Amino acid sequence: FFLEGMEHFQMQLNPVYTRTVADPLWGLKMTGKEGSNALGVFVARDEVTNLIVPGSQGSWSTQLDQPVTDAALRYRMDLASASTAGFVVTAREGDGYENLVGGVDGNLRFTPSDRLQVQVLGSRTEYPDAEVFADEPLGEFEGMAYDAELNHDSSTFDWWVAYRQIDDGYRSDMGYRPQTDFRQTRGGWSHA
């Protein structure tokens, strides 16, 4: 159920990771592509709420003993020159618990050798019990996540630079985000 059509949900920051749905009571899914438009939607009712609670030095996992409704919507449009643009929205909701994530992404090919991938996501979260989440903010909190990578691939010389920033308050409970509160710049090159 979850694996078929998952290529529609694959993105750099992984806002959709179907293994977070641990014990589904029911689920509905639709994926497909028509012309230059691709769509992926799923909704599931889970009997338990598995959570990865990230921090700057790592993460810990916990489970809320309550059902949760999971939903994800992904739309992507093919553009000229092998480029794409799209958006994603995810939601998890339970008793006193809510996590909403939304954002945009693009894979832009400027020339046959040059490509820019970019994704920006924002989240709003509220956890139900301050005792379970002692290190988490009380009440509703928000955060942002940014990812960009520029690649140049030619027959003789390749290089890439990438930047990723995940705010302390960013949570992607339907995705896989084991670390927050960091900025990272990377790069590399090779010569043929």
Side-chain angles (χ1 to χ4, degrees):
F1 175 80
F2 289 114
L3 296 179
E4 185 179 329
M6 283 313 295
E7 65 274 4
H8 295 289
F9 296 98
Q10 293 174 346
M11 291 169 274
Q12 302 96 289
L13 292 171
N14 296 327
V16 178
Y17 185 65
T18 57
R19 289 187 182 182
T20 59
V21 181
D23 188 13
L25 180 63
W26 57 263
L28 301 169
K29 181 175 77 169
M30 179 183 78
T31 60
K33 184 168 181 171
E34 178 67 36
S36 62
N37 301 295
L39 180 69
V41 179
F42 81 82
V43 179
R45 183 69 172 175
D46 202 353
E47 291 295 294
V48 297
T49 307
N50 285 332
L51 296 171
I52 296 174
V53 182
S56 63
Q57 301 301 311
S59 62
W60 54 277
S61 62
T62 189
Q63 186 179 75
L64 301 178
D65 190 23
Q66 68 173 27
V68 66
T69 301
D70 300 313
L73 167 67
R74 168 76 169 134
Y75 171 77
R76 187 185 72 239
M77 178 173 42
D78 295 337
L79 305 173
S81 304
S83 298
T84 63
F87 68 87
V88 65
V89 177
T90 70
R92 285 186 108 192
E93 192 169 322
D95 187 22
Y97 162 69
E98 182 179 71
N99 176 250
L100 301 171
V101 176
V104 296
D105 63 281
N107 184 348
L108 310 172
R109 187 164 292 280
F110 301 110
T111 71
S113 299
D114 299 302
R115 178 174 54 108
L116 173 66
Q117 290 180 291
V118 64
Q119 186 174 24
V120 178
L121 297 172
S123 72
R124 187 176 80 225
T125 306
E126 185 171 3
Y127 290 131
D129 185 347
E131 290 180 22
V132 173
F133 302 98
D135 296 332
E136 295 298 293
L138 295 176
E140 188 177 287
F141 60 98
E142 299 176 349
M144 296 293 294
Y146 309 91
D147 186 84
E149 184 173 321
L150 180 62
N151 290 285
H152 175 82
D153 298 316
S154 67
S155 60
T156 58
F157 187 70
D158 301 336
W159 59 265
W160 61 275
V161 292
Y163 177 77
R164 181 172 282 185
Q165 176 181 329
I166 312 292
D167 293 347
D168 183 40
Y170 178 77
R171 299 294 181 272
S172 180
D173 292 347
M174 274 193 62
Y176 182 71
R177 174 61 30 219
Q179 185 181 17
T180 60
D181 193 22
F182 71 91
R183 289 183 177 99
Q184 182 182 61
T185 305
R186 305 175 319 274
W189 62 274
S190 64
H191 183 65

